Amino acid sequence: MASSTLGKILVIDSDAHIAELLRYNLTAEGYEVQTHPDASTALKLDYSDVRVVIIDEFGQPGADDVVRNLTLRPATAHVGVIVCSAGENPGEAITALDDGADDYIAKPFSLREMIARVRAVMRRRRPMPAAGSAAICSVGPLNVNFTTRTATLHGRPLNLSPTEYSILAMLLKNRDRHLSRIEIFRQVWNSPEAGSNERVVDTNISRLRRKLEELGPSIHNHSGSGYIFVDP
């Protein structure tokens, strides 16, 4: 199959029916879709042209390792990850996000919602633009390059997920005002709907604070006002 102009998606799911359902519908939307039934061997695949991975992290042995490794390996840092699970454990969404996933959706899911989430992850994880002049924001030891969507702390690269980077960039670009969870959720997840899902904002900001080390407390949360980045 020729490469799709919309991007390549890899579906890792041992449920052949779910995999085929996603393959058929995402292909109809204009994506190139590859399926793989075995999470334990998935890390051996070629991810060089994969934009998004959809994986059932809780239904297959070794799937959580796939999620963590895709996030940590430089060769796959460009890949967005959506965990799709039966949602039997109320803590599954938090576990998936802590493992490095960009998004989480419970089974059974709406195909329209899945397609919307794929689009949102791809928008947040656009390919790096060509080299050129970069817009850089510096706060103490933190440097954020808005052109290359990268960040360093004390000169060391920060290993941020696409979601964490998007939240950090949004906070830095709006340092004069508080941003509500709903506002962050709608922009970063590119979704007009918010509700219980907006709590994933807290999870990602908590993770972001830890990675920012001594600058973590610069992300303030004021009840009733929202989040703001305050210079140290």
Side-chain angles (χ1 to χ4, degrees):
M1 180 185 292
S3 178
S4 167
T5 57
L6 293 182
K8 184 175 180 179
I9 299 170
L10 173 62
V11 177
I12 305 174
D13 201 315
S14 58
D15 187 325
H17 173 72
I18 293 293
E20 177 59 22
L21 183 70
L22 288 171
R23 187 201 66 77
Y24 178 85
N25 285 276
L26 289 168
T27 299
E29 290 292 317
Y31 299 100
E32 178 185 351
V33 183
Q34 176 185 348
T35 63
H36 188 76
D38 184 9
S40 65
T41 60
L43 285 173
K44 298 178 182 179
L45 301 176
D46 179 9
Y47 290 87
S48 59
D49 60 347
V50 174
R51 295 285 307 282
V52 173
V53 168
I54 301 173
I55 183 170
D56 184 347
E57 185 180 21
F58 301 95
Q60 306 178 79
D64 53 345
D65 290 331
V66 175
V67 175
R68 286 191 290 267
N69 275 276
L70 287 177
T71 302
L72 294 174
R73 295 192 312 184
T76 53
H78 64 283
V79 180
V81 179
I82 299 175
V83 169
C84 176
S85 176
E88 296 175 355
N89 185 332
E92 285 185 0
I94 294 175
T95 300
L97 293 169
D98 280 341
D99 282 346
D102 296 280
D103 205 349
Y104 171 92
I105 185 170
K107 297 178 181 179
F109 52 83
S110 158
L111 284 169
R112 290 181 61 189
E113 182 180 1
M114 175 62 82
I115 291 168
R117 288 173 183 253
V118 167
R119 289 173 178 160
V121 169
M122 283 195 177
R123 278 191 288 265
R124 297 201 302 274
R125 200 68 186 100
R126 291 184 177 93
M128 185 179 294
S133 59
I136 298 177
C137 175
S138 297
V139 181
L142 174 67
N143 288 279
V144 178
N145 188 316
F146 296 132
T147 300
T148 60
R149 294 177 61 86
T150 57
T152 62
L153 186 67
H154 296 292
R156 304 186 306 271
L158 266 179
N159 181 30
L160 301 178
S161 72
T163 300
E164 292 163 359
Y165 169 82
S166 295
I167 292 175
L168 177 61
M170 187 177 179
L171 290 170
L172 291 176
K173 291 177 180 179
N174 294 274
R175 283 150 75 185
D176 60 335
R177 65 188 185 93
H178 289 84
L179 300 172
S180 69
R181 288 189 185 91
I182 292 177
E183 189 176 0
I184 295 172
F185 181 87
R186 286 176 175 171
Q187 180 166 321
V188 172
W189 277 261
N190 206 12
S191 172
E193 299 180 1
S196 60
N197 281 343
E198 74 192 67
R199 288 294 176 180
V200 301
V201 173
D202 296 333
T203 299
N204 279 274
I205 286 182
S206 176
R207 207 163 53 197
L208 177 59
R209 280 172 169 156
R210 291 196 297 270
K211 292 183 178 181
L212 289 177
E213 298 176 2
E214 74 270 24
L215 288 183
S218 294
I219 301 179
H220 290 200
N221 179 18
H222 292 275
S223 179
S225 300
Y227 288 99
I228 189 171
F229 193 101
V230 178
D231 289 354

